[in-house]
Amino acid sequence: MADTVRPSLAGFFESTNPAPPTHLGTRYDASGNFLLEPGNTVVSHLVSGSPSEAAVLEVRERMLAMPDADRLAFTPVSSLHMTLFQGIIEYRRRLPYWPSDVPLDTSIDDMTRLYLQRLDGFEGRGAFNVKVVEVVPTGLTVDGATEEDRLVMKAWRDALSVPFGYRHPDHDNYRFHITFAYQLRRFADERAGAWQELFDDSLALLEREAPVIELRQPAFCNFKDMKHFEELLVLG
């Protein structure tokens, strides 16, 4: 099986990764129901009705049509976004995922109010474009469309680390993504070829029909679970 899929996909299959999915039991249950997991974040939602959104949704539909798609818990279309900077979240109350100057037992709502104050007057680092670089079972891996876009996105993350008060360990090599789903169970090894073919075809479709993914301006959002991200403050 390992010879039939890219190394980045191997962890989604039974023989290469028999461990339970990371967020199973906290973010969602074994039936695919999303659980309460409040937090906040900075994201750019897809532009509703745009040609690139249509191409993204086509890929999502292709994944849903796979016979073993029941091993994935899909998020609603309205939730689709690219995370620009990770905020705090209920089940990650520890350093360095929390500002060192704020008690670790501070409520999520109080943290959101604090960040709204800290982000008041925040100056963004400019516009950027993104492209899809890989399709995986959980969605799309994206990156800046050009080197200049990548530098702008890095500048955003560096700037946001100041009001948020921390840098995650992956701050400098964070893999931007648009999540479609979370894995409930690993795929059977014999399904590797079919999924690989789907991902390759889907990437070709996106490169052809959506070379740039249209995103709304970054916004500070709060959430109760992975089904909805409420924009509280658009960051200009």
Side-chain angles (χ1 to χ4, degrees):
M1 194 280 298
D3 294 334
T4 64
V5 298
R6 294 187 295 271
S8 57
L9 300 178
F12 294 100
F13 291 87
E14 291 173 342
S15 66
T16 52
N17 189 8
T22 302
H23 299 291
L24 181 62
T26 54
R27 184 160 294 179
Y28 55 94
D29 63 23
S31 298
N33 301 305
F34 286 94
L35 305 174
L36 187 67
E37 189 185 20
N40 52 55
T41 186
V42 174
V43 310
S44 291
H45 282 97
L46 299 188
V47 174
S48 180
S50 65
S52 61
E53 184 200 42
V56 167
L57 295 184
E58 170 63 22
V59 172
R60 182 179 180 274
E61 287 300 315
R62 291 183 180 192
M63 290 176 60
L64 274 165
M66 294 291 275
D68 45 351
D70 60 350
R71 297 192 179 207
L72 299 170
F74 283 82
T75 59
V77 168
S78 60
S79 75
L80 295 179
H81 65 269
M82 184 203 77
T83 301
L84 184 60
F85 190 91
Q86 313 102 297
I88 52 94
I89 196 166
E90 180 61 43
Y91 296 113
R92 201 163 54 195
R93 289 176 173 272
R94 60 187 185 277
L95 302 179
Y97 306 100
W98 197 275
S100 59
D101 60 337
V102 181
L104 291 171
D105 61 354
T106 304
S107 74
I108 299 296
D109 287 343
D110 283 345
M111 291 298 298
T112 296
R113 284 189 284 269
L114 172 64
Y115 282 144
L116 280 170
Q117 295 172 6
R118 291 186 177 185
L119 289 166
D120 183 33
F122 177 84
E123 294 186 6
R125 293 303 185 266
F128 56 85
N129 291 320
V130 303
K131 64 180 180 181
V132 178
V133 296
E134 188 176 27
V135 183
V136 297
T138 50
L140 310 176
T141 303
V142 302
D143 202 355
T146 66
E147 179 60 27
E148 181 179 352
D149 291 317
R150 288 188 282 274
L151 291 174
V152 172
M153 294 165 75
K154 181 182 185 303
W156 270 95
R157 287 179 59 78
D158 289 345
L160 286 165
S161 70
V162 177
F164 277 87
Y166 53 72
R167 289 185 176 223
H168 286 198
D170 65 354
H171 179 87
D172 291 320
N173 57 5
Y174 179 73
R175 299 206 75 187
F176 297 98
H177 58 275
I178 297 172
T179 297
F180 286 175
Y182 293 91
Q183 196 162 40
L184 298 168
R185 292 176 292 147
R186 306 300 182 199
F187 293 131
D189 292 352
E190 59 268 24
R191 294 289 298 154
W195 279 100
Q196 179 70 77
E197 182 178 1
L198 172 69
F199 298 145
D200 291 344
D201 289 347
S202 296
L203 183 59
L205 179 150
L206 291 164
E207 289 174 341
R208 183 175 64 251
E209 298 186 13
V212 169
I213 303 298
E214 296 162 88
L215 298 174
R216 282 156 49 181
Q217 282 185 258
F220 176 64
C221 302
N222 68 347
F223 55 87
K224 298 301 182 185
D225 54 35
M226 295 297 111
K227 295 186 295 184
H228 179 69
F229 296 78
E230 184 71 22
E231 294 190 0
L232 303 178
L233 179 66
V234 175
L235 305 176

